Amino acid sequence: MRDVSWWLWWIQARGLHVGDVPTVESDLYAAAMRATGLAANTRRARISAAKSWYTYLRRAGVAATNPFDGMEQPRRPAGTTRYVSGEQLEDMLAHAVLHESARTQSILAVLFGTACRVSSLLGVQLEQLTHQGRFRVLHLPVKGGRTHTVKVSSYIGELLDGYLAERGTAPGAIFLSRTGIGLQAGYIRELVQRIAAAAGVPDPGGLSIHGIRHSVATALLDAGEDLAVVQALLGHASPETTQVYAHPDTLNLSPADKIDQRLAAAVERRTWHTS
């Protein structure tokens, strides 16, 4: 709503009707944001929000066209993703285990243990937590209506089960608010930044979920994990090898157990020293 409001201000100042805006106005809007020195990520967010909103307006019959269709988005600046070390990820989870709710613990556990995108975290349904052979797995929703299957190892599963015992067995998204409503990406981002600050991670306000995802991958590669295995964890396999359900031998090679063991040992060390 905040990002769309800037577009609404623009068309009001230009004396235009929201349902009948010529395409050139979106170009002028983008140029004006660039001229004021707004960061590329901010401009991307505002353009994406307005474009998505117009998709809805067209479906509702309020707008005849989408003035943002075909617009080239501002490029993401290279090298600006905020990363943290494997030790800092461990510090964050240890802090959550000591001081935060079961839901917060399980959210961090799934983010750190699967390196998933925030859309997958928020979109995964309770019925998508299943077993495949002897493995416990999450079938994470990803782009294109597909699912990406990841192993849920013992310690991550323990934290997740602690939250599910409070959540109950009602169908729907795994991660819900206290009133039973699905969580939003902004909430997850603020939660991660808050935990990072409490754990003493420098510049917590610059940390994103995308940064967490790549921090996990970097930590695995630094520990000597094979590149192809890390790519499979991230869901970057080629279309020819990507399947809705991973084969058991693929799950057996998953680095999830190594992540799980490292996190469990780190949390035990930190909580033992605290107590």
Side-chain angles (χ1 to χ4, degrees):
M1 290 177 64
R2 181 181 64 249
D3 288 332
V4 171
S5 70
W6 289 99
W7 170 249
L8 291 174
W9 172 86
W10 173 269
I11 59 177
Q12 183 181 31
R14 305 276 289 177
L16 301 169
H17 185 273
V18 67
D20 186 24
V21 180
T23 300
V24 67
E25 286 297 330
S26 62
D27 294 329
L28 292 171
Y29 176 62
M33 288 193 292
R34 185 172 58 251
T36 60
L38 288 176
N41 285 342
T42 300
R43 289 183 278 129
R44 286 180 63 90
R46 293 183 183 181
I47 291 171
S48 294
K51 182 177 182 179
S52 297
W53 187 52
Y54 268 97
T55 298
Y56 166 75
L57 293 181
R58 289 192 65 189
R59 192 168 69 246
V62 177
T65 61
N66 186 337
F68 292 90
D69 274 346
M71 174 178 283
E72 184 177 347
Q73 284 275 33
R75 294 184 179 180
R76 297 182 187 274
T80 58
T81 301
R82 172 81 167 86
Y83 298 96
V84 296
S85 68
E87 289 75 15
Q88 288 169 329
L89 291 175
E90 294 163 3
D91 288 341
M92 291 172 64
L93 186 59
H95 173 84
V97 169
L98 283 168
H99 304 291
E100 299 289 335
S101 68
R103 185 182 67 186
T104 295
Q105 295 172 30
S106 63
I107 286 173
L108 292 184
V110 171
L111 284 175
F112 296 175
T114 70
C116 67
R117 295 180 173 88
V118 69
S119 57
S120 297
L121 177 81
L122 299 179
V124 66
Q125 305 292 296
L126 185 61
E127 58 268 25
Q128 292 176 304
L129 176 62
T130 66
H131 284 83
Q132 189 167 313
R134 61 188 178 89
F135 300 109
R136 194 180 188 194
V137 296
L138 270 173
H139 302 295
L140 298 170
V142 294
K143 294 177 181 179
R146 299 177 295 107
T147 56
H148 173 53
T149 302
V150 295
K151 181 192 288 186
V152 178
S153 295
S154 58
Y155 186 64
I156 304 301
E158 180 183 327
L159 295 180
L160 185 57
D161 286 340
Y163 161 65
L164 292 176
E166 297 179 357
R167 178 199 178 281
T169 58
I174 287 181
F175 295 107
L176 301 172
S177 70
R178 292 181 179 84
T179 57
I181 300 173
L183 302 176
Q184 300 297 314
Y187 171 83
I188 302 298
R189 182 181 65 253
E190 291 173 2
L191 180 149
V192 166
Q193 292 174 352
R194 178 175 63 80
I195 299 300
V201 175
D203 187 25
L207 186 59
S208 66
I209 307 303
H210 189 68
I212 290 291
R213 174 175 163 85
H214 283 275
S215 296
V216 174
T218 300
L220 286 169
L221 292 171
D222 287 347
E225 191 61 68
D226 186 81
L227 177 63
V229 175
V230 177
Q231 286 178 327
L233 174 71
L234 296 175
H236 288 167
S238 66
E240 290 75 19
T241 58
T242 301
Q243 300 178 7
V244 173
Y245 301 102
H247 292 300
D249 57 343
T250 303
L251 293 175
N252 193 49
L253 294 172
S254 170
D257 287 332
K258 293 181 181 179
I259 303 172
D260 187 82
Q261 292 163 10
R262 178 172 175 171
L263 289 172
V267 170
E268 183 178 358
R269 288 195 304 271
R270 288 160 172 77
T271 53
W272 183 81
H273 285 307
T274 302
S275 59

